[in-house]
Structure formats: C-alpha cells, structure tokens
Amino acid sequence: MKVLAVSLLRLGDILMLSPVLKGIKSQHKNVELHVLINSQFSFVKTLMPWVDKFILFDRKQMQKGMGEVDRQLFEPLDRLSTTIDYLNNEKYTKVFNLTHTRLSGILCGLINAEEKLGLAFNDNHTASFGSRWYSYLNEQVGGGSDFTAHMTDVHYYGAEIPYNSHEFDFVLDKKGEDEAVALIGDLKNIICVQAFTSDNKKNWGLDRIAKSLKLFQYMNPKYSIFALGAPNESHKVSELIKVCDKEGVSVKPAICSLQGALGILRVSELLLTGDTSIKHLACGTDCKIIEIAIGSSDYRKTGVYRKNNFIVTSTAGCAPCMHSQSCIKNSHICGDRIEPEAIGLLMHQVLNGSNKEIRILAQEYADSLRIHKTYFNHSGFWYARDLAKGFDTKELEKVLNLSSWKLLNRGEHLKLIGEYGSESIKLNATIQQVYPELKSLVKQRFITDLESRITQEGESLLNLKLELQKLAKKKIVNSEEIKRNYKLLESELSPKLASELVVFTEKFNGQTQEHFGQIRKYSEAMQSAYDRNQIQLKLVRTMMSQRMENL
Amino acid sequence: MSDKKETNNLKESLFRLEKAAQKIVSTRGYTKEVENIKMLNELIREQLINENISYSTRKIR
C-alpha cells in the first residue's frame, strides 16, 4: 500500500509529527510511506530514513515566480501542475493531510486517492475532513477554544493510528556523529541551550539566559554548557557567548547541522530551549528538556511531546499571542515576567532534585510564571500539569473534555452500550497519575461539583438546541436566550462559533433556504455540544460510582 | 517580507490570479485549473502573512 503524508509547515512541525509518521509506517505491513515537505527542509531525510520517499514541494521557487515582475505567472502554475501530476502518477491508496492549511487542503483535493484523512477541498470547493478529529481541529481548536488537544494527539487520532507509542525515531548518521564528536569530544556532563527561535516574540532574551546559566553553573560547576545554533545563526551564538562572558559564565559554541545537534543532544543531560525545532529533535533523545514557551507559542498545542519534561510559561494575560504579528505591548511582558533566577533553579532541580522540590519552586514563583510537567495520561492524551496549582474542577474538566471528544468521535454515544466504564477507569487513573498527592475525598468533592455543573449545563444546552431548531422551521429565535448563555456557548462550541451564532440569530429574518448552510453548521455544532455533555455526564457519574466502590 | 516592491508584485500577482480564476469559473466552470490557481493564491497569502486571516490556515498550528 502506498500512502502520502502532507507536511507543508515548518521544520518544527515535521519533527513534531514524526511519531505520527512512524505510526502510519508501522500500522500496516508493506506500507510505502511518502512524505511531501517544503523543499528547504530536505535535510530531514537523513533523520527519518524509514520514510520511503520524501517529495519536495518547491514553495520558494513558486513564490519567487510570483513576486518578480520579469517572470511569467505561468511558470509557477506549470511547476505546480507538474508536482500534482507527479503525485497522481504515484497512485496513492491513502493521503494524510498533516498540515491543515487552505493550501494543503486544495492540494489534497487534487490528489487522487481511495481515502483521504485531513482537510481536502472537493470538486465543488467544499471541505472534507475524513475524520471527526480534523473537524474538531478546524472548528474547536481553530475557533480558539480553551480546551485543546496537542497537535500530535489530534493527528494520532485523526490518522487513526494506535495511541500506544510516542516514539521519535530519529536516526543519527555517521556525519552527525562525527560532527558532534568534533564539537564536544569525549566530554561528559553536558547541557545545551537553544536561545533563538524563528520569531523574536518567542525569544526569552540573551541577558536572561546568561543570568540563569550563571546561577546554574554556580550550583553545578561540573557541567559544560554548549550553545546550539545552525550555521546561519553563528553570529547570534557569538553574541550569546559574549553576554555570558560578561556574566562570568563559560559557554561554548556548537554550530552544527540538525544531525550534529542530534549527536550532541544524545550525550547531553539537559536542554534549555524556546519553542524551536531543536525541542522536538531532543524528544528523540534521553536529554531532559526545559521549554520556555512565550510570545505566540502555545504549549497546549505544540509543547514538548515527551513525558516528564518541563514547560515554563508566563502569567502575562496576553500570552499566547497571535502568530506572525509583532508584540503589541510596550515591553515584552511575557518574557520579562520569567525570572532568570527561577530558570536557573529549575535547571538545577531538574538535574538534581525531586518532583516535590520542583513543585515547591513552582509555587514559590507562581505569581510570575508557571512550571508545567508533561505526561501521557492514562486516558490517552498528552497533558501538561501546572505544578503550582492543585487539582480543581477546571483541570478535571480538561481531561473529561478530551475524553468526551474521543468517545463522541468514535460514535460511542450512538451504541447501545458505550464504553463509559473503561473510559471512567482511565479517567480516575489519570487523576491519580497526575495528582498523586491529593487525598481521595478532596478529588471526590471536585468530581461531585463537576457532576452538578454538567447536569445544569446539559439543561441549558438542551434548551438552546430546541431554540435553534426554530431556525429550520422559519421561526424567529429568542436571541436574548442565546446571548444569556454566551459563556456556555463559548466554552462548548468555540469563541468564534459562539460570536457568529449570536450575530446570526439577531439578524435572522426567517429565510431558512438562504442560510441553509449556516443553520446546518450551527445545529450540528449544538448537537455535538449536547452529545458531549451527555457523554461527560455518564463518565463523571461512572467515575463517582467507581470511586465509591473503592472506598 | 521587507521588500515593499516585492510585496506589491505579490499583491499584483494575487489580483491577476483571482481575476483569471473568476474568468475560468464563469466560462468553463470549476475546473482543475481553478484549483491550481487557488493554490497559487494561497501560496501568496501565506507569504503575505497578514492577509492570511482564515482560521483553516497556519495560525492554528
């Protein structure tokens, strides 16, 4: 079977989704896996030699062809047609769109295949998703919902591969090994820093990094510190080293290829990084990772995808901000809030301390930053726990929400006997796994609180569902009722859909046929919200009875 | 993109491509050529990032 995975975002995204690619490859015997990537990242080939073929999408040349006056527009058009013909000649059985952009959606629509998973635009330019997880990605995650699954998880479920291995199978070649040896020799006790990200907003700042490293080096003099950088970042790395020198910290440069970086990370004990591709590369090693997720980086979607690592975020209300736009604040508040002292101490504790000590550190600095620990929880999702915060209904809601999406997308609610019992066992196990320090009775109280809230919300959702049914019957809807429940709609649909719905119901003139598409969209979203509420209610009640049995 | 001239060229290309797509749709219907042109439009929009406002684009990554 020949399958194609389309990954047309940036380097970090290709690396982050590597476990999904591996899952696709391992799912069936005799799978020939081809991956379509942007041509500027062709060097990832050596990291994933188990991919049968990387096909390069010449985005740069096409974009160049359209941005220069002396070049014909037919040139990029011709280049594009050639690429699509090439892909169609491969005769794929299955296409996975791991990109979720309009561009990739149109492209996947033009590729002939028996099955397509992920966004693809059909002949009449309507979107198809192939899996409900990709509709979830489009509507819930894209709509700005607070409850969001990690992107890798969405693709795991969307691509219908078993959620049991989270393996980053990056292969280190001889060249990379030699490069690493040339840079670090046979040194032991190494830690690495990747100070530069693709976006200024995500950079924490050289002074702050230097100060944290100073504290770390003072407490851990036996460690050698290396500053990682790509060849085009060498001047930036020199700058970092100068700043560190001023602070009296000894940092050595490690300008290398991605393969070289993999070689170095394999023998390193800790990586301090921003939201970078190096972070995802380190997931393929045993090196511990501390990620500083500031600016537009949203750790809930793209955080370090490996268990028992740490993500530091700021308490600034504006983070995470929009991608590809400059910071709108007078100063870089999210970066400013993260104190270098806290990072230096965290680095020390991650290497030497226990979970308890890291939790105390998180509580101590809770006013300015959050320290999250990563898990793969028992209910089958990546999860980052804020270590300063105890267990509460909000946290319980997070795990319950994702489980309800999983059961809804599997159509469990339509079965005569759904798998609520086993899912509830997993949920109870998740709470125990992530919050082992909490007493059982306290957990029980939160579960009881949540049960009563879900019941109330269920009644409101049912009323709203009935109200929306009026739209199809050409009746005017009570828009005040919709507005009154705006907060609920925002959390159960998505902020984007909730605001659309309010505007629509206010202006609705009884012309059902004219707005058929929109009415259908809102009705389906409301039905899905109500179904999920009912699933959550069953889950939480089953959890309660399971806990009672255990008392 | 820092070069203003190149930005203008891209916007001009975007305009021409949109016109071409409209013309094909009105004369020959929704063909594969239209899809190809739409893809090029998206390539330009991704380059002129601020125009890339739809929620099914890269902003959700």
Side-chain angles (χ1 to χ4, degrees):
Chain A
M1 181 166 76
K2 210 186 251 188
V3 303
L4 174 73
V6 176
S7 186
L8 289 179
L9 290 173
R10 286 181 287 187
L11 178 60
D13 301 282
I14 303 171
L15 299 181
M16 183 179 80
L17 294 179
S18 153
V20 177
L21 296 174
K22 186 77 186 175
I24 294 170
K25 176 74 183 165
S26 326
Q27 194 179 15
H28 303 289
K29 275 183 184 166
N30 305 322
V31 167
E32 189 179 331
L33 173 63
H34 293 188
V35 183
L36 180 70
I37 55 169
N38 288 317
S39 53
Q40 61 262 48
F41 307 126
S42 60
F43 51 83
V44 297
K45 285 178 192 178
T46 59
L47 286 173
M48 295 181 253
W50 38 266
V51 169
D52 298 288
K53 194 195 271 184
F54 277 95
I55 302 169
L56 305 180
F57 184 77
D58 208 347
R59 174 190 290 261
K60 254 192 167 170
Q61 278 304 319
M62 285 186 228
Q63 283 177 333
K64 219 174 160 192
M66 292 181 289
E68 289 174 8
V69 190
D70 55 343
R71 290 172 81 158
Q72 289 282 337
L73 263 181
F74 288 111
E75 189 193 317
L77 202 57
D78 187 48
R79 218 179 265 274
L80 189 61
S81 303
T82 312
T83 308
I84 293 161
D85 288 345
Y86 177 85
L87 292 169
N88 275 326
N89 282 337
E90 292 284 353
K91 302 201 180 339
Y92 294 111
T93 312
K94 228 172 177 180
V95 172
F96 298 89
N97 185 359
L98 306 181
T99 314
H100 205 76
T101 59
R102 276 186 190 282
L103 174 79
S104 65
I106 301 171
L107 179 77
C108 288
L110 290 169
I111 303 170
N112 304 320
E114 284 169 29
E115 194 184 352
K116 292 176 191 176
L117 289 166
L119 179 66
F121 288 105
N122 301 323
D123 286 346
N124 53 0
H125 210 66
T126 52
S128 75
F129 297 102
S131 153
R132 290 184 73 149
W133 280 102
Y134 289 113
S135 323
Y136 161 84
L137 182 62
N138 202 53
E139 281 136 34
Q140 196 82 2
V141 183
S145 173
D146 243 6
F147 298 111
T148 171
H150 195 284
M151 284 294 143
T152 313
D153 281 353
V154 174
H155 288 294
Y156 252 114
Y157 286 114
E160 296 168 355
I161 49 179
Y163 192 82
N164 49 19
S165 131
H166 309 284
E167 191 190 357
F168 282 81
D169 187 6
F170 296 133
V171 175
L172 178 64
D173 65 11
K174 180 79 176 64
K175 216 175 132 203
E177 211 178 318
D178 291 346
E179 208 180 341
V181 170
L183 285 164
I184 56 171
D186 57 357
L187 274 175
K188 297 264 179 306
N189 304 317
I190 293 168
I191 72 152
C192 291
V193 188
Q194 172 67 44
F196 312 103
T197 70
S198 57
D199 187 348
N200 269 343
K201 283 189 302 186
K202 295 189 201 170
N203 291 341
W204 187 37
L206 303 187
D207 285 341
R208 295 183 189 121
I209 291 175
K211 282 186 179 124
S212 343
L213 293 179
K214 185 181 179 181
L215 181 60
F216 172 80
Q217 204 164 57
Y218 174 73
M219 289 187 285
N220 302 272
K222 68 174 182 177
Y223 281 94
S224 306
I225 306 173
F226 283 87
L228 291 172
N232 63 354
E233 289 173 331
S234 60
H235 63 287
K236 290 184 185 171
V237 170
S238 308
E239 207 180 318
L240 171 68
I241 289 171
K242 263 189 216 159
V243 177
C244 288
D245 264 352
K246 270 189 201 162
E247 288 286 341
V249 193
S250 163
V251 177
K252 298 179 191 77
I255 305 297
C256 52
S257 67
L258 209 58
Q259 273 286 347
L262 180 65
I264 295 172
L265 289 168
R266 283 219 174 152
V267 291
S268 300
E269 290 184 36
L270 178 72
L271 168 71
L272 176 67
T273 178
D275 180 19
T276 61
S277 45
I278 290 294
K279 163 186 89 179
H280 300 298
L281 186 72
C283 289
T285 70
D286 293 330
C287 171
K288 289 176 181 168
I289 304 165
I290 297 176
E291 174 190 352
I292 298 179
I294 51 174
S296 54
S297 74
D298 188 344
Y299 75 95
R300 298 167 307 168
K301 297 176 191 165
T302 57
V304 51
Y305 195 72
R306 209 181 63 185
K307 66 178 178 181
N308 296 331
N309 288 286
F310 298 89
I311 301 170
V312 181
T313 57
S314 147
T315 50
C318 53
C321 52
M322 289 282 286
H323 267 287
S324 316
Q325 283 173 18
S326 332
C327 179
I328 52 164
K329 303 283 176 185
N330 291 334
S331 68
H332 195 213
I333 302 175
C334 55
D336 295 346
R337 286 233 178 137
I338 298 177
E339 293 159 59
E341 184 190 65
I343 299 300
L345 289 171
L346 178 63
M347 290 168 74
H348 171 74
Q349 295 293 7
V350 168
L351 284 181
N352 307 294
S354 67
N355 275 339
K356 198 177 165 193
E357 283 156 330
I358 297 173
R359 216 164 46 232
I360 293 169
L361 184 68
Q363 282 158 355
E364 215 170 293
Y365 287 91
D367 289 340
S368 54
L369 56 86
R370 303 256 179 266
I371 300 175
H372 308 262
K373 187 181 175 190
T374 59
Y375 295 84
F376 287 116
N377 70 26
H378 290 305
S379 42
F381 290 97
W382 176 92
Y383 182 83
R385 176 195 166 176
D386 177 350
L387 290 176
K389 224 170 103 184
F391 183 69
D392 59 16
T393 35
K394 180 95 181 159
E395 291 305 306
L396 177 61
E397 224 182 325
K398 263 191 213 169
V399 283
L400 197 63
N401 186 284
L402 288 175
S403 282
S404 66
W405 271 107
K406 188 170 71 178
L407 296 190
L408 179 88
N409 291 351
R410 246 174 21 203
E412 219 57 54
H413 61 299
L414 303 171
K415 294 179 187 165
L416 197 60
I417 302 171
E419 280 182 26
Y420 300 105
S422 49
E423 191 63 29
S424 301
I425 292 173
K426 287 178 194 167
L427 280 166
N428 271 324
T430 294
I431 299 171
Q432 186 56 32
Q433 172 195 17
V434 183
Y435 299 92
E437 77 279 9
L438 214 70
K439 283 183 184 150
S440 190
L441 276 172
V442 181
K443 289 174 189 164
Q444 187 68 20
R445 183 163 59 83
F446 285 119
I447 295 172
T448 314
D449 285 353
L450 189 60
E451 192 261 348
S452 70
R453 217 179 79 199
I454 294 172
T455 310
Q456 281 170 15
E457 286 178 355
E459 284 164 18
S460 306
L461 285 171
L462 184 63
N463 286 337
L464 288 167
K465 196 172 83 124
L466 295 172
E467 199 59 44
L468 282 190
Q469 280 175 3
K470 288 182 186 169
L471 290 170
K473 293 173 186 158
K474 299 184 181 180
K475 288 181 187 165
I476 302 298
V477 172
N478 179 1
S479 59
E480 286 308 311
E481 179 74 10
I482 308 276
K483 274 195 232 166
R484 216 180 0 261
N485 286 290
Y486 187 72
K487 278 269 162 222
L488 176 66
L489 289 169
E490 225 182 19
S491 78
E492 295 305 316
L493 303 181
S494 73
K496 186 178 162 70
L497 207 57
S499 69
E500 261 182 40
L501 182 61
V502 169
V503 175
F504 181 79
T505 48
E506 266 179 344
K507 290 185 179 166
F508 184 65
N509 53 5
Q511 295 300 313
T512 304
Q513 275 178 329
E514 230 176 82
H515 305 288
F516 181 73
Q518 273 165 297
I519 293 172
R520 205 171 102 175
K521 183 168 109 177
Y522 301 137
S523 306
E524 280 176 2
M526 192 54 82
Q527 183 64 48
S528 155
Y530 181 68
D531 287 341
R532 267 187 294 114
N533 171 278
Q534 294 302 295
I535 292 171
Q536 286 178 12
L537 197 58
K538 282 179 189 160
L539 285 175
V540 88
R541 283 180 180 161
T542 318
M543 280 171 80
M544 283 164 77
S545 63
Q546 281 167 356
R547 297 184 80 85
M548 290 301 282
E549 279 168 25
N550 290 338
L551 281 178
Chain B
M1 177 180 298
S2 56
D3 188 355
K4 205 177 169 189
K5 199 174 156 196
E6 203 183 336
T7 308
N8 288 339
N9 288 343
L10 283 169
K11 285 184 178 167
E12 172 66 23
S13 297
L14 187 64
F15 177 74
R16 280 162 60 198
L17 285 166
E18 274 167 359
K19 276 261 178 201
Q22 277 171 12
K23 202 148 198 173
I24 299 174
V25 171
S26 64
T27 54
R28 283 156 50 196
Y30 215 92
T31 61
K32 297 270 181 222
E33 286 77 28
V34 179
E35 292 286 345
N36 284 357
I37 293 174
K38 277 192 176 290
M39 267 186 76
L40 289 184
N41 282 348
E42 282 308 316
L43 271 172
I44 298 178
R45 286 203 183 99
E46 285 190 6
Q47 202 168 358
L48 299 164
I49 283 161
N50 293 334
E51 289 186 33
N52 200 8
I53 50 165
S54 166
Y55 70 71
S56 65
T57 58
R58 64 190 305 161
K59 125 182 154 185
I60 62 165
R61 61 164 285 285

